[in-house]
Amino acid sequence: MVSSFSHEKSNYHISFFYSLPTPALTPLPSKYTDLLNYVQRAPDQGDTNACLFVASTGAMELIANKKAGIRNPKPYGEYDLAESYIMHAPNHSYGKTWWETKVRKFNWGFGIHIDDWSFEAWTDTWINNNVWNFWNWDGMKKVPLPKVTTSLLFARGNKYSTYVLNKTHIQTVKEAIWKNKAPVMLNYNDDGYWHVVLIVGWNDNVPGECYQTPSSECNRDLGSFYVRDSMGVEIEVRDFDWLRVKGNAAILIKEDI
């Protein structure tokens, strides 16, 4: 069950409408799970407003692990990066959407290892907002990273919008992942709170949790996406209708070669 994230709710609305033309339905495999081998487990963001930074860092970690051939990466491994770095690093690329600018901060050529800038956002009794504190990273371990490029796949309504997508957007996400062998970052509305996660694969034959209201409208023949969230769980399974019903914007993130 995906929980609500009150830290992402605000009165700040950005309206947008951008969508690719309806794509021809390209034949795709019934599943694509290769990227799951390179996913670095996410920290638990708690209520610290950090989902965009966790998803962006997760994309960079996956790309770096894949490039280096590091499968099933361990916590504190070579490319376990500090999310707080891109909270404070200066922008690198302009002329992009606000979702894209965070991950593109890694295009300065490095990140900071989690050993030197730990992400401690959640305890059993309180929210640790120290994750937002800025520290001078001059003496920290800089991890060389490949550069990334981003592409806006679609954006409809605003970041709180629901029921603005259709099955062609599901196809667009699957095609982008398949053709580029790279993750897609999705913004969606989670019961009134915008939230950002990383989609890392799919399986047409695995039903996920239903997100339809009422639940009697659920189509249990649907497959699911594999999602790397920011709540300390490695991989979650989300029904395709989760994207159609709750999603509103998607970004492809891949190595810039």
Side-chain angles (χ1 to χ4, degrees):
M1 179 68 179
V2 182
S3 58
S4 298
F5 299 96
S6 59
H7 52 285
E8 255 99 48
K9 188 171 186 179
S10 74
N11 295 320
Y12 181 51
H13 287 249
I14 297 179
S15 294
F16 49 76
F17 187 96
Y18 173 84
S19 188
L20 296 175
T22 301
L25 296 180
T26 302
L28 295 171
S30 62
K31 66 177 181 179
Y32 180 66
T33 60
D34 289 1
L35 296 182
L36 275 65
N37 295 311
Y38 306 106
V39 172
Q40 192 81 44
R41 184 169 181 149
D44 185 347
Q45 73 169 64
D47 286 333
T48 56
N49 284 312
C51 64
L52 179 56
F53 303 101
V54 174
S56 297
T57 301
M60 184 72 259
E61 291 168 336
L62 186 157
I63 290 167
N65 283 326
K66 183 172 179 286
K67 184 177 179 66
I70 300 174
R71 301 169 72 88
N72 305 312
K74 305 300 181 186
Y76 303 98
E78 183 174 354
Y79 293 108
D80 195 348
L81 304 174
E83 286 77 9
S84 297
Y85 166 68
I86 58 169
M87 292 178 181
H88 301 285
N91 286 337
H92 184 275
S93 303
Y94 297 90
K96 291 286 184 177
T97 62
W98 62 280
W99 293 288
E100 297 170 86
T101 56
K102 308 310 177 188
V103 69
R104 293 172 76 96
K105 290 183 177 187
F106 287 116
N107 283 345
W108 291 112
F110 67 91
I112 301 298
H113 197 270
I114 195 68
D115 276 339
D116 281 355
W117 203 345
S118 63
F119 190 104
E120 298 175 351
W122 180 263
T123 74
D124 291 337
T125 57
W126 63 293
I127 306 302
N128 182 2
N129 284 298
N130 287 335
V131 68
W132 286 94
N133 287 349
F134 174 74
W135 307 99
N136 188 325
W137 59 69
D138 286 348
M140 296 181 180
K141 178 182 178 181
K142 295 180 176 63
V143 181
L145 296 171
K147 292 190 175 183
V148 297
T149 186
T150 58
S151 301
L152 178 64
L153 300 179
F154 55 80
R156 295 178 70 90
N158 63 45
K159 61 187 178 182
Y160 301 99
S161 295
T162 59
Y163 289 94
V164 293
L165 304 183
N166 56 50
K167 67 180 182 180
T168 64
H169 296 97
I170 297 171
Q171 179 77 3
T172 295
V173 170
K174 292 168 67 174
E175 286 187 356
I177 294 171
W178 169 246
K179 291 178 180 178
N180 296 280
K181 307 299 186 286
V184 166
M185 189 164 67
L186 183 84
N187 186 84
Y188 72 101
N189 184 322
D190 186 17
D191 297 328
Y193 306 95
W194 69 273
H195 189 53
V196 181
V197 296
L198 203 63
I199 302 177
V200 296
W202 78 86
N203 191 324
D204 292 341
N205 301 310
V206 174
E209 182 180 354
C210 176
Y211 284 82
Q212 282 278 38
T213 303
S215 60
S216 60
E217 295 182 8
C218 291
N219 182 350
R220 302 316 298 162
D221 294 330
L222 288 172
S224 297
F225 287 112
Y226 294 108
V227 173
R228 192 251 198 194
D229 204 340
S230 54
M231 302 303 289
V233 178
E234 190 166 2
I235 298 293
E236 297 179 11
V237 180
R238 307 277 182 89
D239 192 297
F240 287 153
D241 252 5
W242 157 75
L243 184 146
R244 183 187 66 80
V245 171
K246 291 178 173 284
N248 49 59
I251 306 291
L252 172 71
I253 304 171
K254 65 178 183 176
E255 183 183 0
D256 189 4
I257 54 177

